[in-house]
Amino acid sequence: RRPQPWAAPMADAIVQNPEMLGPGERGLGTSFGEERFIGIIKKYDPPKKFGFVECPEVFALFGCDSFLSSKQIRHYDNDMMISFTINVKNSKPQAQDLQDP
């Protein structure tokens, strides 16, 4: 998959200027608030304690999959579908608050 050419600049603009979004569209600052995405856990490596969540909507916004840390994965595993929110760190999405879809 290739990111849309507008994805990274648009995501950076949203993170740096949250006022671009209307009330209730997304959270303020670097959090996307309570907006939930649906994705599939891919490449989670327990010894390395991280992996990624594949989600077309997040990929369209940021041009990459969401980072997933061992602090967030709990009982979930590779190839499981999840619902999650994101937080943006260094212009990259990080999956958090994992739940069943």
Side-chain angles (χ1 to χ4, degrees):
R1 295 179 315 189
R2 292 192 158 165
Q4 298 296 323
W6 48 264
M10 182 172 149
D12 286 341
I14 291 170
V15 169
Q16 293 171 9
N17 303 293
E19 65 277 3
M20 290 172 54
L21 301 171
E25 285 186 285
R26 291 200 168 90
L28 299 176
T30 59
S31 172
F32 271 58
E34 295 181 25
E35 181 173 352
R36 300 200 69 80
F37 298 90
I38 302 293
I40 298 175
I41 298 173
K42 296 289 183 184
K43 304 176 196 164
Y44 183 76
D45 187 343
K48 291 183 179 179
K49 299 184 179 183
F50 74 90
F52 297 91
V53 177
E54 186 177 88
C55 172
E57 291 82 14
V58 173
F59 193 89
L61 284 171
F62 295 93
C64 61
D65 291 329
S66 298
F67 177 82
L68 176 61
S69 79
S70 62
K71 294 177 183 176
Q72 298 293 330
I73 195 155
R74 300 186 331 224
H75 64 277
Y76 297 101
D77 204 353
N78 282 317
D79 299 321
M80 291 183 79
M81 184 177 286
I82 57 164
S83 169
F84 64 102
T85 61
I86 60 170
N87 190 45
V88 181
K89 185 173 181 181
N90 299 324
S91 299
K92 302 288 184 184
Q94 295 188 348
Q96 58 186 20
D97 189 25
L98 276 58
Q99 298 177 10
D100 293 334

